[in-house]
Amino acid sequence: MAGFLDRAKEQAQSAMQQGKQKVDEVQQQRAGNDLLKRLGAAYYAERHGGGPAEATQQALTALEVHIAAHGDAFLRGA
C-alpha cells in the first residue's frame, strides 16, 4: 500500500509541475504579446501622431529583453 501511495504522490507532483510550467508559458506568451502591441502602438504614434521616438525604442528594448529571457515562440503563435 505504501508503494501505491508513493507512486500516486509522485504522479500528482509531476502533474502539478507540468501544470505550473504550462501556466508560466501562457503568462510569458501574454506578456510577449502585450509588449509587441506596445511596440506597435508606439511605432504608429511615432509615424502618424508625432509620438516620441524614445517610446518606440523603450518598447523595442523591453521586447528584446523579454525575447532574450523567454524566447520568441509567441511571435510564431506557438
Side-chain angles (χ1 to χ4, degrees), residues 3-28:
F4 171 76
L5 292 177
D6 288 341
R7 268 184 294 160
K9 181 179 175 182
E10 288 174 14
Q11 288 176 346
Q13 288 174 338
S14 175
M16 267 184 29
Q17 184 62 26
Q18 289 175 352
K20 183 182 179 316
Q21 287 175 342
K22 185 62 177 173
V23 167
D24 289 345
E25 288 174 19
V26 168
Q27 288 175 339
Q28 291 167 7

Side-chain angles (χ1 to χ4, degrees), residues 33 56 77:
N33 287 333
T56 303

Side-chain angles (χ1 to χ4, degrees), residues 28 35 61-74:
Q28 291 167 7
L35 290 169
T61 300
L63 182 62
E64 289 171 339
V65 167
H66 179 81
I67 289 171
H70 304 292
D72 65 354
F74 69 95

